[in-house]
Amino acid sequence: MIRIDERSPTPIYEQIVQNFKALIAKGGLAEGDRIPSVRELSATLLVNHNTVAKSYQELERQGVIVSLRGKGAFVTKAAEEPGMERERLLRLRDELRRIAVEAHHLGVDSDKLLAWLQEEIKEYGKGRESDAEGAPSKQKD
Protein backbone atom coordinates (compact mmCIF):
# COMPACT_ATOMS: atom_id res chain seq x y z
CA MET A 1 0.00 0.00 0.00
CA ILE A 2 2.65 2.54 1.05
CA ARG A 3 6.23 2.29 -0.18
CA ILE A 4 9.19 4.18 1.20
CA ASP A 5 12.36 4.84 -0.78
CA GLU A 6 15.11 5.14 1.81
CA ARG A 7 17.52 6.48 -0.83
CA SER A 8 15.20 9.32 -1.80
CA PRO A 9 16.12 12.85 -0.74
CA THR A 10 12.42 13.35 0.09
CA PRO A 11 11.82 12.96 3.84
CA ILE A 12 9.99 9.79 4.83
CA TYR A 13 7.02 11.67 6.27
CA GLU A 14 6.54 13.48 2.93
CA GLN A 15 6.77 10.17 1.07
CA ILE A 16 3.98 8.81 3.29
CA VAL A 17 1.85 11.90 2.59
CA GLN A 18 2.40 11.59 -1.17
CA ASN A 19 1.71 7.84 -1.11
CA PHE A 20 -1.64 8.37 0.61
CA LYS A 21 -2.59 11.15 -1.81
CA ALA A 22 -1.67 8.90 -4.75
CA LEU A 23 -3.73 6.01 -3.32
CA ILE A 24 -6.73 8.30 -2.99
CA ALA A 25 -6.25 9.75 -6.48
CA LYS A 26 -6.05 6.24 -7.99
CA GLY A 27 -9.17 5.13 -6.14
CA GLY A 28 -7.34 2.76 -3.78
CA LEU A 29 -8.82 4.71 -0.89
CA ALA A 30 -12.17 6.48 -0.98
CA GLU A 31 -13.98 8.98 1.19
CA GLY A 32 -14.83 7.39 4.53
CA ASP A 33 -12.21 4.64 4.31
CA ARG A 34 -10.28 4.06 7.52
CA ILE A 35 -6.51 4.26 7.22
CA PRO A 36 -4.12 2.25 9.40
CA SER A 37 -3.34 3.62 12.84
CA VAL A 38 -0.01 5.34 13.40
CA ARG A 39 1.19 2.29 15.31
CA GLU A 40 0.04 -0.14 12.60
CA LEU A 41 1.64 1.80 9.75
CA SER A 42 4.91 2.43 11.61
CA ALA A 43 5.20 -1.32 12.33
CA THR A 44 4.42 -2.19 8.69
CA LEU A 45 6.87 0.34 7.24
CA LEU A 46 9.48 -0.16 9.98
CA VAL A 47 9.72 3.58 10.61
CA ASN A 48 9.50 5.59 13.79
CA HIS A 49 5.91 6.16 14.88
CA ASN A 50 6.64 9.89 15.28
CA THR A 51 7.39 10.02 11.54
CA VAL A 52 4.04 8.44 10.72
CA ALA A 53 2.30 10.73 13.22
CA LYS A 54 3.89 13.75 11.50
CA SER A 55 2.56 12.46 8.14
CA TYR A 56 -0.93 12.04 9.53
CA GLN A 57 -0.82 15.53 11.05
CA GLU A 58 0.13 16.96 7.65
CA LEU A 59 -2.59 14.97 5.88
CA GLU A 60 -5.10 16.22 8.42
CA ARG A 61 -3.84 19.81 8.10
CA GLN A 62 -4.32 19.57 4.33
CA GLY A 63 -7.84 18.21 4.78
CA VAL A 64 -7.03 14.82 3.23
CA ILE A 65 -7.90 12.81 6.36
CA VAL A 66 -9.80 13.43 9.56
CA SER A 67 -9.00 11.82 12.92
CA LEU A 68 -11.86 10.82 15.18
CA ARG A 69 -10.86 10.19 18.77
CA GLY A 70 -11.16 6.53 19.66
CA LYS A 71 -12.21 5.55 16.11
CA GLY A 72 -9.18 6.21 13.94
CA ALA A 73 -8.34 8.28 10.88
CA PHE A 74 -10.50 8.40 7.76
CA VAL A 75 -10.26 9.77 4.23
CA THR A 76 -12.28 12.98 3.80
CA LYS A 77 -13.88 14.61 0.78
CA ALA A 78 -11.42 16.31 -1.56
CA ALA A 79 -10.58 19.89 -0.57
CA GLU A 80 -13.45 20.13 1.88
CA GLU A 81 -12.15 23.26 3.61
CA PRO A 82 -12.13 26.38 1.36
CA GLY A 83 -9.06 27.99 2.96
CA MET A 84 -7.09 24.77 2.70
CA GLU A 85 -8.18 24.29 -0.91
CA ARG A 86 -6.82 27.73 -1.79
CA GLU A 87 -3.52 27.07 -0.02
CA ARG A 88 -3.11 23.72 -1.75
CA LEU A 89 -3.96 25.21 -5.16
CA LEU A 90 -1.36 27.93 -4.67
CA ARG A 91 1.22 25.30 -3.73
CA LEU A 92 0.25 23.26 -6.78
CA ARG A 93 0.69 26.29 -9.03
CA ASP A 94 4.12 26.98 -7.52
CA GLU A 95 5.11 23.36 -8.11
CA LEU A 96 3.97 23.58 -11.75
CA ARG A 97 6.12 26.69 -12.20
CA ARG A 98 9.10 24.86 -10.72
CA ILE A 99 8.52 21.93 -13.08
CA ALA A 100 8.20 24.23 -16.10
CA VAL A 101 11.49 25.94 -15.25
CA GLU A 102 13.24 22.60 -14.70
CA ALA A 103 11.85 21.27 -18.01
CA HIS A 104 13.17 24.36 -19.80
CA HIS A 105 16.66 23.84 -18.36
CA LEU A 106 16.60 20.18 -19.36
CA GLY A 107 15.51 21.02 -22.90
CA VAL A 108 12.11 19.33 -22.60
CA ASP A 109 9.76 21.03 -25.06
CA SER A 110 6.23 22.06 -24.12
CA ASP A 111 4.62 19.32 -26.25
CA LYS A 112 6.54 16.62 -24.40
CA LEU A 113 5.82 18.20 -21.02
CA LEU A 114 2.11 18.43 -21.83
CA ALA A 115 2.09 14.80 -23.00
CA TRP A 116 3.64 13.73 -19.69
CA LEU A 117 1.07 15.78 -17.78
CA GLN A 118 -1.76 14.16 -19.75
CA GLU A 119 -0.35 10.71 -18.89
CA GLU A 120 -0.40 11.59 -15.20
CA ILE A 121 -3.91 13.02 -15.44
CA LYS A 122 -5.06 9.74 -16.97
CA GLU A 123 -3.29 7.79 -14.22
CA TYR A 124 -4.48 9.83 -11.23
CA GLY A 125 -7.40 11.87 -12.50
CA LYS A 126 -9.93 9.11 -13.07
CA GLY A 127 -13.33 10.74 -12.87
CA ARG A 128 -11.82 14.22 -13.04
CA GLU A 129 -10.81 14.34 -16.71
CA SER A 130 -13.45 16.97 -17.44
CA ASP A 131 -11.96 19.21 -14.75
CA ALA A 132 -8.55 18.98 -16.38
CA GLU A 133 -9.82 19.46 -19.92
CA GLY A 134 -11.21 22.93 -19.83
CA ALA A 135 -13.59 23.36 -16.92
CA PRO A 136 -13.18 26.87 -15.58
CA SER A 137 -10.70 27.07 -12.75
CA LYS A 138 -11.72 28.45 -9.37
CA GLN A 139 -8.14 29.74 -9.03
CA LYS A 140 -7.23 33.07 -10.62
CA ASP A 141 -3.87 33.16 -12.38
Side-chain angles (χ1 to χ4, degrees):
M1 178 158 100
I2 303 287
R3 293 186 187 245
I4 301 301
D5 179 0
E6 294 178 7
R7 289 187 225 129
S8 172
T10 304
I12 292 173
Y13 87 93
E14 286 182 18
Q15 290 183 49
I16 294 170
V17 168
Q18 290 306 316
N19 271 268
F20 271 112
K21 287 177 162 184
L23 272 170
I24 294 166
K26 286 183 171 184
L29 288 171
E31 178 185 347
D33 285 351
R34 185 181 179 281
I35 62 172
S37 71
V38 168
R39 197 169 298 194
E40 291 168 343
L41 191 59
S42 66
T44 301
L45 298 177
L46 301 175
V47 298
N48 187 295
H49 83 278
N50 290 328
T51 301
V52 176
K54 185 175 181 178
S55 301
Y56 281 24
Q57 288 170 347
E58 180 60 19
L59 287 165
E60 191 159 14
R61 189 187 74 74
Q62 291 182 20
V64 175
I65 65 170
V66 63
S67 296
L68 303 175
R69 176 163 277 174
K71 295 185 180 185
F74 301 86
V75 176
T76 62
K77 285 196 283 194
E80 207 170 61
E81 198 175 309
M84 184 53 61
E85 178 183 17
R86 178 169 165 67
E87 179 184 329
R88 289 175 66 192
L89 286 171
L90 288 172
R91 239 186 293 139
L92 175 62
R93 185 64 186 251
D94 288 343
E95 186 68 12
L96 287 171
R97 275 190 201 98
R98 188 193 65 72
I99 290 168
V101 167
E102 188 67 20
H104 171 78
H105 287 285
L106 290 171
V108 177
D109 65 34
S110 61
D111 290 337
K112 183 67 172 173
L113 188 59
L114 287 171
W116 288 344
L117 181 57
Q118 286 298 324
E119 286 176 24
E120 296 305 318
I121 289 170
K122 286 177 185 170
E123 177 73 20
Y124 293 101
K126 293 178 176 95
R128 294 187 177 201
E129 287 84 2
S130 60
D131 291 347
E133 293 176 357
S137 172
K138 294 184 214 175
Q139 176 77 20
K140 288 194 173 188
D141 290 335

PDB file of all heavy atoms in Angstrom, residues 29-41:
ATOM      1  N   LEU A  29      -8.136   4.290  -2.117  1.00  0.00           N
ATOM      2  CA  LEU A  29      -8.819   4.709  -0.888  1.00  0.00           C
ATOM      3  C   LEU A  29      -9.891   5.704  -1.291  1.00  0.00           C
ATOM      4  O   LEU A  29      -9.670   6.549  -2.153  1.00  0.00           O
ATOM      5  CB  LEU A  29      -7.848   5.388   0.090  1.00  0.00           C
ATOM      6  CG  LEU A  29      -6.826   4.504   0.799  1.00  0.00           C
ATOM      7  CD1 LEU A  29      -5.821   5.367   1.559  1.00  0.00           C
ATOM      8  CD2 LEU A  29      -7.520   3.546   1.757  1.00  0.00           C
ATOM      9  N   ALA A  30     -11.050   5.594  -0.653  1.00  0.00           N
ATOM     10  CA  ALA A  30     -12.165   6.485  -0.976  1.00  0.00           C
ATOM     11  C   ALA A  30     -12.632   7.206   0.289  1.00  0.00           C
ATOM     12  O   ALA A  30     -12.270   6.826   1.410  1.00  0.00           O
ATOM     13  CB  ALA A  30     -13.320   5.675  -1.570  1.00  0.00           C
ATOM     14  N   GLU A  31     -13.430   8.230   0.077  1.00  0.00           N
ATOM     15  CA  GLU A  31     -13.983   8.984   1.192  1.00  0.00           C
ATOM     16  C   GLU A  31     -14.628   8.033   2.193  1.00  0.00           C
ATOM     17  O   GLU A  31     -15.382   7.132   1.830  1.00  0.00           O
ATOM     18  CB  GLU A  31     -15.030   9.970   0.679  1.00  0.00           C
ATOM     19  CG  GLU A  31     -15.679  10.767   1.780  1.00  0.00           C
ATOM     20  CD  GLU A  31     -16.806  11.646   1.280  1.00  0.00           C
ATOM     21  OE1 GLU A  31     -16.940  11.841   0.064  1.00  0.00           O
ATOM     22  OE2 GLU A  31     -17.564  12.132   2.129  1.00  0.00           O
ATOM     23  N   GLY A  32     -14.269   8.211   3.461  1.00  0.00           N
ATOM     24  CA  GLY A  32     -14.828   7.391   4.526  1.00  0.00           C
ATOM     25  C   GLY A  32     -14.011   6.164   4.868  1.00  0.00           C
ATOM     26  O   GLY A  32     -14.236   5.538   5.907  1.00  0.00           O
ATOM     27  N   ASP A  33     -13.043   5.805   4.015  1.00  0.00           N
ATOM     28  CA  ASP A  33     -12.206   4.643   4.311  1.00  0.00           C
ATOM     29  C   ASP A  33     -11.308   4.934   5.502  1.00  0.00           C
ATOM     30  O   ASP A  33     -10.750   6.024   5.628  1.00  0.00           O
ATOM     31  CB  ASP A  33     -11.315   4.278   3.115  1.00  0.00           C
ATOM     32  CG  ASP A  33     -12.076   3.605   1.994  1.00  0.00           C
ATOM     33  OD1 ASP A  33     -13.259   3.249   2.189  1.00  0.00           O
ATOM     34  OD2 ASP A  33     -11.487   3.425   0.908  1.00  0.00           O
ATOM     35  N   ARG A  34     -11.169   3.945   6.362  1.00  0.00           N
ATOM     36  CA  ARG A  34     -10.283   4.061   7.515  1.00  0.00           C
ATOM     37  C   ARG A  34      -8.865   3.746   7.055  1.00  0.00           C
ATOM     38  O   ARG A  34      -8.650   2.817   6.289  1.00  0.00           O
ATOM     39  CB  ARG A  34     -10.702   3.076   8.599  1.00  0.00           C
ATOM     40  CG  ARG A  34      -9.905   3.209   9.875  1.00  0.00           C
ATOM     41  CD  ARG A  34     -10.378   2.169  10.908  1.00  0.00           C
ATOM     42  NE  ARG A  34      -9.612   2.265  12.116  1.00  0.00           N
ATOM     43  CZ  ARG A  34      -8.390   1.771  12.293  1.00  0.00           C
ATOM     44  NH1 ARG A  34      -7.783   1.140  11.306  1.00  0.00           N
ATOM     45  NH2 ARG A  34      -7.765   1.904  13.431  1.00  0.00           N
ATOM     46  N   ILE A  35      -7.915   4.531   7.524  1.00  0.00           N
ATOM     47  CA  ILE A  35      -6.510   4.258   7.216  1.00  0.00           C
ATOM     48  C   ILE A  35      -5.875   3.612   8.446  1.00  0.00           C
ATOM     49  O   ILE A  35      -6.411   3.725   9.554  1.00  0.00           O
ATOM     50  CB  ILE A  35      -5.752   5.534   6.773  1.00  0.00           C
ATOM     51  CG1 ILE A  35      -5.727   6.590   7.868  1.00  0.00           C
ATOM     52  CG2 ILE A  35      -6.368   6.106   5.498  1.00  0.00           C
ATOM     53  CD1 ILE A  35      -4.831   7.778   7.563  1.00  0.00           C
ATOM     54  N   PRO A  36      -4.748   2.926   8.259  1.00  0.00           N
ATOM     55  CA  PRO A  36      -4.116   2.253   9.405  1.00  0.00           C
ATOM     56  C   PRO A  36      -3.760   3.258  10.501  1.00  0.00           C
ATOM     57  O   PRO A  36      -3.473   4.426  10.231  1.00  0.00           O
ATOM     58  CB  PRO A  36      -2.848   1.643   8.814  1.00  0.00           C
ATOM     59  CG  PRO A  36      -3.059   1.612   7.346  1.00  0.00           C
ATOM     60  CD  PRO A  36      -4.002   2.724   7.019  1.00  0.00           C
ATOM     61  N   SER A  37      -3.761   2.767  11.727  1.00  0.00           N
ATOM     62  CA  SER A  37      -3.345   3.625  12.838  1.00  0.00           C
ATOM     63  C   SER A  37      -1.862   3.951  12.692  1.00  0.00           C
ATOM     64  O   SER A  37      -1.131   3.286  11.948  1.00  0.00           O
ATOM     65  CB  SER A  37      -3.589   2.915  14.176  1.00  0.00           C
ATOM     66  OG  SER A  37      -2.665   1.854  14.336  1.00  0.00           O
ATOM     67  N   VAL A  38      -1.420   4.957  13.414  1.00  0.00           N
ATOM     68  CA  VAL A  38      -0.010   5.340  13.403  1.00  0.00           C
ATOM     69  C   VAL A  38       0.847   4.139  13.786  1.00  0.00           C
ATOM     70  O   VAL A  38       1.838   3.827  13.133  1.00  0.00           O
ATOM     71  CB  VAL A  38       0.241   6.534  14.358  1.00  0.00           C
ATOM     72  CG1 VAL A  38       1.733   6.762  14.574  1.00  0.00           C
ATOM     73  CG2 VAL A  38      -0.433   7.789  13.841  1.00  0.00           C
ATOM     74  N   ARG A  39       0.428   3.444  14.828  1.00  0.00           N
ATOM     75  CA  ARG A  39       1.187   2.289  15.308  1.00  0.00           C
ATOM     76  C   ARG A  39       1.235   1.180  14.265  1.00  0.00           C
ATOM     77  O   ARG A  39       2.282   0.581  14.010  1.00  0.00           O
ATOM     78  CB  ARG A  39       0.548   1.780  16.596  1.00  0.00           C
ATOM     79  CG  ARG A  39       1.431   0.882  17.400  1.00  0.00           C
ATOM     80  CD  ARG A  39       0.836   0.641  18.747  1.00  0.00           C
ATOM     81  NE  ARG A  39       0.745   1.922  19.441  1.00  0.00           N
ATOM     82  CZ  ARG A  39       0.514   2.064  20.720  1.00  0.00           C
ATOM     83  NH1 ARG A  39       0.314   1.018  21.469  1.00  0.00           N
ATOM     84  NH2 ARG A  39       0.458   3.247  21.271  1.00  0.00           N
ATOM     85  N   GLU A  40       0.093   0.904  13.631  1.00  0.00           N
ATOM     86  CA  GLU A  40       0.036  -0.140  12.601  1.00  0.00           C
ATOM     87  C   GLU A  40       0.948   0.194  11.425  1.00  0.00           C
ATOM     88  O   GLU A  40       1.711  -0.658  10.961  1.00  0.00           O
ATOM     89  CB  GLU A  40      -1.399  -0.312  12.082  1.00  0.00           C
ATOM     90  CG  GLU A  40      -2.366  -0.904  13.070  1.00  0.00           C
ATOM     91  CD  GLU A  40      -3.820  -0.779  12.626  1.00  0.00           C
ATOM     92  OE1 GLU A  40      -4.130   0.040  11.729  1.00  0.00           O
ATOM     93  OE2 GLU A  40      -4.650  -1.501  13.199  1.00  0.00           O
ATOM     94  N   LEU A  41       0.845   1.431  10.921  1.00  0.00           N
ATOM     95  CA  LEU A  41       1.641   1.802   9.750  1.00  0.00           C
ATOM     96  C   LEU A  41       3.134   1.856  10.079  1.00  0.00           C
ATOM     97  O   LEU A  41       3.960   1.418   9.278  1.00  0.00           O
ATOM     98  CB  LEU A  41       1.168   3.126   9.163  1.00  0.00           C
ATOM     99  CG  LEU A  41       1.761   3.472   7.805  1.00  0.00           C
ATOM    100  CD1 LEU A  41       1.432   2.410   6.752  1.00  0.00           C
ATOM    101  CD2 LEU A  41       1.277   4.833   7.326  1.00  0.00           C
TER     102      LEU A  41
END
